[in-house]
mmCIF file of all heavy atoms in Angstrom:
data_model
loop_
_atom_site.group_PDB
_atom_site.id
_atom_site.type_symbol
_atom_site.label_atom_id
_atom_site.label_comp_id
_atom_site.label_asym_id
_atom_site.label_seq_id
_atom_site.Cartn_x
_atom_site.Cartn_y
_atom_site.Cartn_z
ATOM 1 N N PHE A 104 187.658 -11.476 42.968
ATOM 2 C CA PHE A 104 186.262 -11.006 42.926
ATOM 3 C C PHE A 104 186.187 -9.533 42.664
ATOM 4 O O PHE A 104 185.457 -9.090 41.747
ATOM 5 C CB PHE A 104 185.546 -11.340 44.252
ATOM 6 C CG PHE A 104 184.153 -10.806 44.373
ATOM 7 C CD1 PHE A 104 183.082 -11.546 43.926
ATOM 8 C CD2 PHE A 104 183.915 -9.588 44.943
ATOM 9 C CE1 PHE A 104 181.803 -11.071 43.992
ATOM 10 C CE2 PHE A 104 182.625 -9.097 45.029
ATOM 11 C CZ PHE A 104 181.524 -9.842 44.580
ATOM 12 N N GLY A 105 186.980 -8.751 43.362
ATOM 13 C CA GLY A 105 186.899 -7.361 43.218
ATOM 14 C C GLY A 105 187.489 -6.747 41.949
ATOM 15 O O GLY A 105 187.376 -5.598 41.673
ATOM 16 N N LEU A 106 188.070 -7.616 41.182
ATOM 17 C CA LEU A 106 188.663 -7.179 39.945
ATOM 18 C C LEU A 106 187.869 -7.529 38.669
ATOM 19 O O LEU A 106 188.320 -7.249 37.582
ATOM 20 C CB LEU A 106 190.094 -7.880 39.776
ATOM 21 C CG LEU A 106 191.059 -7.684 40.932
ATOM 22 C CD1 LEU A 106 192.335 -8.460 40.678
ATOM 23 C CD2 LEU A 106 191.396 -6.166 41.077
ATOM 24 N N ASN A 107 186.714 -8.132 38.876
ATOM 25 C CA ASN A 107 185.944 -8.637 37.739
ATOM 26 C C ASN A 107 184.531 -8.183 37.713
ATOM 27 O O ASN A 107 183.880 -7.943 38.740
ATOM 28 C CB ASN A 107 185.967 -10.171 37.833
ATOM 29 C CG ASN A 107 187.294 -10.757 37.400
ATOM 30 O OD1 ASN A 107 187.559 -10.926 36.232
ATOM 31 N ND2 ASN A 107 188.120 -11.038 38.348
ATOM 32 N N THR A 108 184.006 -8.056 36.514
ATOM 33 C CA THR A 108 182.566 -7.869 36.331
ATOM 34 C C THR A 108 181.894 -9.212 36.709
ATOM 35 O O THR A 108 182.339 -10.273 36.228
ATOM 36 C CB THR A 108 182.230 -7.522 34.891
ATOM 37 O OG1 THR A 108 182.795 -6.218 34.571
ATOM 38 C CG2 THR A 108 180.747 -7.486 34.639
ATOM 39 N N MET A 109 180.919 -9.139 37.561
ATOM 40 C CA MET A 109 180.242 -10.330 38.034
ATOM 41 C C MET A 109 178.808 -10.377 37.549
ATOM 42 O O MET A 109 178.227 -9.331 37.179
ATOM 43 C CB MET A 109 180.269 -10.319 39.552
ATOM 44 C CG MET A 109 181.651 -10.433 40.187
ATOM 45 S SD MET A 109 182.450 -12.016 39.821
ATOM 46 C CE MET A 109 181.367 -13.164 40.718
ATOM 47 N N ALA A 110 178.225 -11.519 37.572
ATOM 48 C CA ALA A 110 176.881 -11.648 37.083
ATOM 49 C C ALA A 110 176.119 -12.774 37.809
ATOM 50 O O ALA A 110 176.732 -13.680 38.404
ATOM 51 C CB ALA A 110 176.891 -11.980 35.611
ATOM 52 N N TRP A 111 174.838 -12.668 37.757
ATOM 53 C CA TRP A 111 173.958 -13.789 38.165
ATOM 54 C C TRP A 111 173.402 -14.414 36.880
ATOM 55 O O TRP A 111 173.055 -13.735 35.946
ATOM 56 C CB TRP A 111 172.770 -13.233 38.986
ATOM 57 C CG TRP A 111 173.127 -12.905 40.390
ATOM 58 C CD1 TRP A 111 173.485 -11.702 40.938
ATOM 59 C CD2 TRP A 111 173.253 -13.862 41.495
ATOM 60 N NE1 TRP A 111 173.784 -11.819 42.262
ATOM 61 C CE2 TRP A 111 173.620 -13.123 42.632
ATOM 62 C CE3 TRP A 111 173.006 -15.198 41.599
ATOM 63 C CZ2 TRP A 111 173.840 -13.735 43.865
ATOM 64 C CZ3 TRP A 111 173.190 -15.827 42.822
ATOM 65 C CH2 TRP A 111 173.630 -15.062 43.963
ATOM 66 N N TYR A 112 173.357 -15.711 36.910
ATOM 67 C CA TYR A 112 172.807 -16.514 35.841
ATOM 68 C C TYR A 112 171.684 -17.377 36.402
ATOM 69 O O TYR A 112 171.642 -17.626 37.602
ATOM 70 C CB TYR A 112 173.902 -17.425 35.215
ATOM 71 C CG TYR A 112 175.094 -16.725 34.652
ATOM 72 C CD1 TYR A 112 176.091 -16.257 35.522
ATOM 73 C CD2 TYR A 112 175.216 -16.448 33.312
ATOM 74 C CE1 TYR A 112 177.233 -15.581 35.001
ATOM 75 C CE2 TYR A 112 176.324 -15.830 32.798
ATOM 76 C CZ TYR A 112 177.327 -15.377 33.625
ATOM 77 O OH TYR A 112 178.407 -14.726 33.121
ATOM 78 N N ARG A 113 170.866 -17.927 35.555
ATOM 79 C CA ARG A 113 169.873 -18.883 36.006
ATOM 80 C C ARG A 113 169.667 -19.931 34.948
ATOM 81 O O ARG A 113 169.807 -19.673 33.755
ATOM 82 C CB ARG A 113 168.574 -18.194 36.364
ATOM 83 C CG ARG A 113 167.782 -17.550 35.225
ATOM 84 C CD ARG A 113 166.587 -16.830 35.766
ATOM 85 N NE ARG A 113 165.757 -16.258 34.743
ATOM 86 C CZ ARG A 113 164.718 -15.409 34.995
ATOM 87 N NH1 ARG A 113 164.411 -15.085 36.229
ATOM 88 N NH2 ARG A 113 164.030 -14.910 33.984
ATOM 89 N N GLN A 114 169.249 -21.078 35.377
ATOM 90 C CA GLN A 114 169.045 -22.217 34.527
ATOM 91 C C GLN A 114 167.716 -22.880 34.941
ATOM 92 O O GLN A 114 167.695 -23.450 36.070
ATOM 93 C CB GLN A 114 170.188 -23.251 34.519
ATOM 94 C CG GLN A 114 170.030 -24.297 33.520
ATOM 95 C CD GLN A 114 171.283 -25.100 33.298
ATOM 96 O OE1 GLN A 114 172.169 -25.118 34.187
ATOM 97 N NE2 GLN A 114 171.432 -25.774 32.217
ATOM 98 N N ALA A 115 166.728 -22.764 34.109
ATOM 99 C CA ALA A 115 165.458 -23.429 34.380
ATOM 100 C C ALA A 115 165.550 -24.890 33.828
ATOM 101 O O ALA A 115 166.386 -25.207 32.977
ATOM 102 C CB ALA A 115 164.365 -22.713 33.600
ATOM 103 N N PRO A 116 164.709 -25.802 34.347
ATOM 104 C CA PRO A 116 164.774 -27.157 33.945
ATOM 105 C C PRO A 116 164.607 -27.316 32.436
ATOM 106 O O PRO A 116 163.720 -26.731 31.815
ATOM 107 C CB PRO A 116 163.513 -27.771 34.662
ATOM 108 C CG PRO A 116 163.316 -26.944 35.848
ATOM 109 C CD PRO A 116 163.692 -25.509 35.413
ATOM 110 N N GLY A 117 165.552 -28.057 31.841
ATOM 111 C CA GLY A 117 165.515 -28.311 30.426
ATOM 112 C C GLY A 117 165.977 -27.177 29.538
ATOM 113 O O GLY A 117 165.825 -27.216 28.307
ATOM 114 N N LYS A 118 166.424 -26.102 30.167
ATOM 115 C CA LYS A 118 166.843 -24.926 29.417
ATOM 116 C C LYS A 118 168.359 -24.586 29.609
ATOM 117 O O LYS A 118 168.942 -25.068 30.581
ATOM 118 C CB LYS A 118 165.969 -23.734 29.747
ATOM 119 C CG LYS A 118 164.499 -23.959 29.371
ATOM 120 C CD LYS A 118 163.721 -22.663 29.555
ATOM 121 C CE LYS A 118 162.235 -22.916 29.126
ATOM 122 N NZ LYS A 118 161.426 -21.687 29.256
ATOM 123 N N GLU A 119 168.799 -23.746 28.726
ATOM 124 C CA GLU A 119 170.200 -23.315 28.905
ATOM 125 C C GLU A 119 170.384 -22.261 30.010
ATOM 126 O O GLU A 119 169.405 -21.555 30.323
ATOM 127 C CB GLU A 119 170.755 -22.682 27.568
ATOM 128 C CG GLU A 119 170.812 -23.693 26.456
ATOM 129 C CD GLU A 119 171.451 -23.062 25.164
ATOM 130 O OE1 GLU A 119 171.585 -21.838 25.136
ATOM 131 O OE2 GLU A 119 171.749 -23.798 24.235
ATOM 132 N N ARG A 120 171.541 -22.201 30.526
ATOM 133 C CA ARG A 120 171.870 -21.184 31.522
ATOM 134 C C ARG A 120 171.899 -19.847 30.838
ATOM 135 O O ARG A 120 172.521 -19.681 29.821
ATOM 136 C CB ARG A 120 173.192 -21.498 32.210
ATOM 137 C CG ARG A 120 173.562 -20.620 33.354
ATOM 138 C CD ARG A 120 174.833 -21.180 34.035
ATOM 139 N NE ARG A 120 174.659 -22.440 34.648
ATOM 140 C CZ ARG A 120 175.569 -23.319 34.866
ATOM 141 N NH1 ARG A 120 176.839 -23.029 34.503
ATOM 142 N NH2 ARG A 120 175.325 -24.516 35.470
ATOM 143 N N LYS A 121 171.224 -18.831 31.442
ATOM 144 C CA LYS A 121 171.189 -17.478 30.887
ATOM 145 C C LYS A 121 171.604 -16.457 31.868
ATOM 146 O O LYS A 121 171.399 -16.574 33.086
ATOM 147 C CB LYS A 121 169.801 -17.216 30.399
ATOM 148 C CG LYS A 121 169.358 -18.041 29.196
ATOM 149 C CD LYS A 121 167.962 -17.666 28.723
ATOM 150 C CE LYS A 121 167.576 -18.458 27.518
ATOM 151 N NZ LYS A 121 166.201 -18.095 27.003
ATOM 152 N N LEU A 122 172.194 -15.363 31.358
ATOM 153 C CA LEU A 122 172.597 -14.310 32.215
ATOM 154 C C LEU A 122 171.334 -13.491 32.629
ATOM 155 O O LEU A 122 170.488 -13.179 31.795
ATOM 156 C CB LEU A 122 173.572 -13.367 31.485
ATOM 157 C CG LEU A 122 174.253 -12.252 32.313
ATOM 158 C CD1 LEU A 122 175.662 -12.034 31.842
ATOM 159 C CD2 LEU A 122 173.483 -11.022 32.269
ATOM 160 N N VAL A 123 171.277 -13.169 33.883
ATOM 161 C CA VAL A 123 170.135 -12.459 34.463
ATOM 162 C C VAL A 123 170.478 -10.989 34.654
ATOM 163 O O VAL A 123 169.764 -10.046 34.327
ATOM 164 C CB VAL A 123 169.665 -13.046 35.782
ATOM 165 C CG1 VAL A 123 168.581 -12.220 36.437
ATOM 166 C CG2 VAL A 123 169.221 -14.499 35.595
ATOM 167 N N ALA A 124 171.685 -10.786 35.273
ATOM 168 C CA ALA A 124 172.074 -9.383 35.578
ATOM 169 C C ALA A 124 173.613 -9.420 35.754
ATOM 170 O O ALA A 124 174.190 -10.413 36.242
ATOM 171 C CB ALA A 124 171.412 -8.882 36.840
ATOM 172 N N SER A 125 174.242 -8.311 35.429
ATOM 173 C CA SER A 125 175.688 -8.173 35.641
ATOM 174 C C SER A 125 175.997 -6.826 36.271
ATOM 175 O O SER A 125 175.178 -5.879 36.219
ATOM 176 C CB SER A 125 176.429 -8.333 34.332
ATOM 177 O OG SER A 125 176.096 -7.247 33.466
ATOM 178 N N ILE A 126 177.182 -6.813 36.922
ATOM 179 C CA ILE A 126 177.628 -5.536 37.575
ATOM 180 C C ILE A 126 179.080 -5.424 37.457
ATOM 181 O O ILE A 126 179.887 -6.362 37.685
ATOM 182 C CB ILE A 126 177.212 -5.575 39.072
ATOM 183 C CG1 ILE A 126 177.540 -4.230 39.765
ATOM 184 C CG2 ILE A 126 177.728 -6.748 39.841
ATOM 185 C CD1 ILE A 126 176.847 -4.026 41.087
ATOM 186 N N THR A 127 179.520 -4.229 36.985
ATOM 187 C CA THR A 127 180.945 -4.021 36.795
ATOM 188 C C THR A 127 181.625 -3.632 38.095
ATOM 189 O O THR A 127 180.970 -3.454 39.194
ATOM 190 C CB THR A 127 181.237 -2.919 35.787
ATOM 191 O OG1 THR A 127 180.764 -1.656 36.368
ATOM 192 C CG2 THR A 127 180.492 -3.155 34.484
ATOM 193 N N ILE A 128 182.957 -3.540 38.061
ATOM 194 C CA ILE A 128 183.682 -3.062 39.249
ATOM 195 C C ILE A 128 183.153 -1.710 39.725
ATOM 196 O O ILE A 128 183.046 -1.450 40.901
ATOM 197 C CB ILE A 128 185.200 -3.001 38.979
ATOM 198 C CG1 ILE A 128 185.717 -4.362 38.564
ATOM 199 C CG2 ILE A 128 185.985 -2.489 40.149
ATOM 200 C CD1 ILE A 128 187.091 -4.287 37.951
ATOM 201 N N GLY A 129 182.809 -0.871 38.743
ATOM 202 C CA GLY A 129 182.330 0.456 38.997
ATOM 203 C C GLY A 129 180.851 0.512 39.256
ATOM 204 O O GLY A 129 180.183 1.547 39.343
ATOM 205 N N ARG A 130 180.241 -0.714 39.406
ATOM 206 C CA ARG A 130 178.803 -0.836 39.743
ATOM 207 C C ARG A 130 177.828 -0.373 38.647
ATOM 208 O O ARG A 130 176.721 0.044 38.905
ATOM 209 C CB ARG A 130 178.491 -0.178 41.069
ATOM 210 C CG ARG A 130 179.157 -0.923 42.213
ATOM 211 C CD ARG A 130 178.893 -0.209 43.587
ATOM 212 N NE ARG A 130 179.500 -1.050 44.668
ATOM 213 C CZ ARG A 130 180.736 -1.070 44.984
ATOM 214 N NH1 ARG A 130 181.677 -0.340 44.290
ATOM 215 N NH2 ARG A 130 181.185 -1.837 45.992
ATOM 216 N N ILE A 131 178.341 -0.472 37.397
ATOM 217 C CA ILE A 131 177.394 -0.317 36.232
ATOM 218 C C ILE A 131 176.663 -1.635 36.092
ATOM 219 O O ILE A 131 177.254 -2.687 36.076
ATOM 220 C CB ILE A 131 178.123 0.030 35.017
ATOM 221 C CG1 ILE A 131 178.804 1.446 35.177
ATOM 222 C CG2 ILE A 131 177.172 0.066 33.795
ATOM 223 C CD1 ILE A 131 179.722 1.814 34.087
#
């Protein structure tokens, strides 16, 4: 976990999963 850029994704009914927000190790 601490070595990777992480993100939140969301998927609405009938739609593709999309990236909502991401954060790097350095918190960018």
Side-chain angles (χ1 to χ4, degrees):
F104 176 86
L106 303 176
N107 286 276
T108 295
M109 296 294 296
W111 284 97
Y112 301 81
R113 69 185 180 187
Q114 187 169 19
K118 297 189 177 180
E119 294 185 350
R120 188 174 292 157
K121 293 185 177 180
L122 189 145
V123 174
S125 65
I126 183 166
T127 68
I128 301 168
R130 293 177 173 79
I131 296 172

